[in-house]
Amino acid sequence: MAGRLYEHLIKPLSVGNIKTQPVKKGAFETGAGAAVKKVWLNGRDHLENMNLNFTWGFYKQVGDWHGRRDLHVHPYPECHLFVGLDTANVNYLGAEVECRLGPEQESYNFSEPSVVIVPAGLPHGPVETKRIYSPGGFGSYSAGLSSIPETLWQDKPAQTAKSSGKYAHLVKPLKPFILTERGKLNPARFPPELAKQRAENLKSSRMKLGPGNADHLAWMFGSDLDGTKINMDWGFFSSAGLWHRGVGAHVHAVDEVLVFTGVDSDKPDYLGAEIEIDLGKEHERHLITRSSVVILPAGTPHAPIVTRWVDRPFAFFSINLASESVMQFID
Amino acid sequence: MAERKYEHLIKPLKIAEMKGQGQAFRNTGNADVNRWLNGRDHLNGVELNFSWGFYTGLGDWHPGMDPHVHPYPEALVFVGLDPHRPEYLGAKIDFYIGKELEFHTFDKPTAVIAPGGFVHCPLITTNVNSPIGYSFFIISLGADPTTAWLGDGLSEEQLKQRKEMEASAAQRGVKLPMKSSYPKQRIHFCEETITHGHLYDKFYIPMKPNTQTARRLKTAEKEQYGDMLKDGRKPGPGLSGNAVWLFGQDMDGIKLNFCWAIHTQPGLWMRGPGKGAHVHPVDEVLVFAGTDPSDIDCLGAEIQIDLGPEHDRYIIDKPTAVICPAGFPHNPIVTRWVDRPFGVLMISLGTQHETSYID
């Protein structure tokens, strides 16, 4: 295959591996509920200086995620997605999680896939896994809008509060954002007017979903995420074939990452599929065979994407640094 | 836009469209529509001519003209169009072969072998059960389609007309799809001249799924595929589970192996280590054919194939033949999407499918 101009834009997720320490009572750095496997990639070290850092981890144990260092704050907004690993059911989390938000550490609990939005400067934490139902645990990814992760740990307040509802608008179930479920588009995802407009846009682009597209996909936009300048999705894929028919490469005016990951916490690098993606206007072809991130600085042509084979359904998420996902097709 | 390096190896089947064909074959069992490509005009000189067509008619395919003979061997293959019932033809065929006009009949997918110089036909469709008919393809090992018609059913006037038409075409420099001759020695076909023996049973081969997607292969059988089944290579999701692959040893030793299947699923065809390009020591033609009898020019799928050592990727979205000359690297193949099941015919001009992977 000719030329490898864009090889640096595809990285195994393992470049961002975080070594999780064993829990030591009394002096633990990580909480009992911390991820058993986790990666944390940032713009400075891994993502071509994008204004983004993101994590992805597998959680299989109950307990506090951060141990003693509970309440913290970031100078940038952050969105946390809590997702199940049952590739047949995107509405299954398989766990019960408590998140505390605000300086008062108001408590919010959920047991279904959810997104938690943390505006810049809002103290939050701890996160605690209360119960685990799924034998494989669950997953979580977060997207922070800074190329360099920054965390300021704060002292615990003297007294924590139950939820007054003050921050309830920042904790949302994933269900209303589901765009595709069991391979079918969810007509209720958008209000009628918006749905009509999106359908017209799709028609004018001549784009159709291909057989390799998602079995299940939830997609959240800035308006869903308290105005955060980000749109992000989460989905499961199990079929071979082209992802989008009728269109070739496209670009975005903003940075984007595409993350392909397996869902086996014991083998986080195992993708279970082979995926072909074209990068650049030259349509340089790349193959993805392990859990990887594709880094797409603004204006980088990419696609089509073709899933060549699937041995085990895999997960995919993308993070695009604009409130809306705007694609410009170039060929 | 400048022609791409290997574009000359990709031939849409439509280039062999014959205008007025429907009229020519009216009231016969012959094709409603077909595409017949040959090495001389379409396939860059490959010693091959092949056809693909849809059939619903009843009766003799060449009334009054058969039997006939070619200077080259050929396989005449009758297949159904139901991807999920590979052993359903949907028609009943009477086929006579040999100078003895030995009678055979079949109603399941079947390949009939005619060695070079071997008398064969008439071929008569006696029944069509399938509501959409069936398909037939011929694989003939000559670049220049040539037939000596031995039947005595044409009148002198008809013969004269045909000869005049052929002479006129030759004068105008028009190459007819078939070079025909009418030897003086004729064979009369009737109830009294046919025989009911079993001399040529071996020339009738049932088209039953037989590749490794359908059953476990014996070691000797695997050898026929070259390196295709070595080093952990295995079928991908894009391959059909109902493929039929015949080798030279199945077909009276003729220098041909071919594989036929109707594909229904997207994905990579063959999985394995490396980039997946391979070569053969003989010429090969890959035919991607639609299965919609109402539109022979519709493929109903999109397929990508890499050609050349640089893995130049080509997209196929209409019925097409891809020529892979001996030693020319090709593959992998990925089916991108499928709206309608499509047929794949791999024709390789060797008794075995010798394959060597290059990357």
Side-chain angles (χ1 to χ4, degrees), chain B residues 194-211:
Chain B
I194 65 170
T195 64
H196 292 271
H198 296 281
L199 286 174
Y200 303 118
D201 285 359
K202 64 176 182 178
F203 291 149
Y204 291 83
I205 303 160
M207 293 284 288
K208 291 183 180 175
N210 64 352
T211 64

Side-chain angles (χ1 to χ4, degrees), chain A residues 179-248:
Chain A
L179 199 59
T180 306
E181 190 167 11
R182 296 197 174 96
K184 289 187 178 161
L185 287 175
N186 172 20
R189 169 61 182 92
F190 300 109
E193 271 307 304
L194 187 55
K196 192 177 166 192
Q197 188 191 332
R198 296 184 79 91
E200 279 169 10
N201 292 346
L202 206 60
K203 196 176 172 186
S204 65
S205 74
R206 292 177 300 145
M207 184 173 79
K208 288 202 289 184
L209 296 184
N213 216 301
D215 304 324
H216 309 272
L217 186 75
W219 202 325
M220 290 142 290
F221 302 92
S223 54
D224 305 315
L225 301 170
D226 201 44
T228 311
K229 279 196 175 171
I230 195 170
N231 71 87
M232 55 203 282
D233 58 15
W234 168 258
F236 295 125
F237 292 64
S238 69
S239 299
L242 191 66
W243 285 30
H244 298 103
R245 290 173 55 172
V247 290

Side-chain angles (χ1 to χ4, degrees), chain A residues 1-2 208 210-212 240-243 245-247 274 276 278 283-285 287 304 306-311, chain B residues 234 236-238 266-269 271-272 274-275 302 304 306 309-313 332 334-339:
Chain A
M1 294 178 198
K208 288 202 289 184
L242 191 66
W243 285 30
R245 290 173 55 172
V247 290
E274 184 173 273
E276 179 181 308
D278 287 13
H283 281 267
E284 184 177 289
R285 210 172 352 160
L287 287 185
V306 181
T307 302
R308 291 176 156 210
W309 52 259
V310 182
D311 277 346
Chain B
K234 58 182 179 180
L268 185 68
W269 287 23
R271 291 174 54 175
K275 294 177 181 173
E302 186 174 274
Q304 67 179 53
D306 288 10
E310 52 293 63
H311 283 263
D312 200 2
R313 179 179 51 189
V334 181
T335 302
R336 293 175 151 210
W337 51 259
V338 183
D339 277 348

Side-chain angles (χ1 to χ4, degrees), chain B residues 155-347:
Chain B
S155 67
E156 286 304 318
E157 190 180 345
Q158 285 173 311
L159 267 177
K160 190 179 162 194
Q161 274 179 356
R162 283 180 168 269
K163 286 177 181 172
E164 281 174 359
M165 183 189 74
E166 284 154 15
S168 161
Q171 268 184 350
R172 286 180 284 122
V174 175
K175 290 177 184 171
L176 292 175
M178 178 67 73
K179 200 181 281 180
S180 293
S181 64
Y182 306 90
K184 285 189 177 166
Q185 192 178 354
R186 297 302 176 83
I187 296 174
H188 182 62
F189 170 76
C190 69
E191 274 298 315
E192 286 73 33
T193 55
I194 65 170
T195 64
H196 292 271
H198 296 281
L199 286 174
Y200 303 118
D201 285 359
K202 64 176 182 178
F203 291 149
Y204 291 83
I205 303 160
M207 293 284 288
K208 291 183 180 175
N210 64 352
T211 64
Q212 66 165 353
T213 54
R215 67 195 174 101
R216 186 183 289 272
L217 297 180
K218 295 173 186 165
T219 306
E221 289 175 316
K222 285 185 180 174
E223 292 298 321
Q224 299 186 103
Y225 293 86
D227 290 346
M228 270 186 77
L229 304 185
K230 292 178 181 166
D231 302 324
R233 295 180 197 284
K234 58 182 179 180
L239 267 191
S240 164
N242 292 326
V244 185
W245 201 318
L246 300 183
F247 295 90
Q249 69 175 31
D250 306 314
M251 298 183 284
D252 200 45
I254 64 175
K255 284 190 177 172
L256 170 69
N257 70 93
F258 76 87
C259 180
W260 161 254
I262 297 180
H263 290 218
T264 59
Q265 297 296 325
L268 185 68
W269 287 23
M270 279 300 290
R271 291 174 54 175
K275 294 177 181 173
H278 64 243
V279 296
H280 309 289
V282 295
D283 293 341
E284 178 180 85
V285 174
L286 302 167
V287 184
F288 304 87
T291 60
D292 181 354
S294 66
D295 184 1
I296 195 168
D297 297 318
C298 167
L299 182 60
E302 186 174 274
I303 297 151
Q304 67 179 53
I305 180 169
D306 288 10
L307 297 180
E310 52 293 63
H311 283 263
D312 200 2
R313 179 179 51 189
Y314 289 81
I315 305 295
I316 292 165
D317 57 5
K318 56 189 167 218
T320 298
V322 178
I323 304 161
C324 301
F328 178 71
H330 56 283
N331 277 31
I333 304 176
V334 181
T335 302
R336 293 175 151 210
W337 51 259
V338 183
D339 277 348
R340 187 184 180 97
F342 62 97
V344 176
L345 173 60
M346 185 286 301
I347 305 168

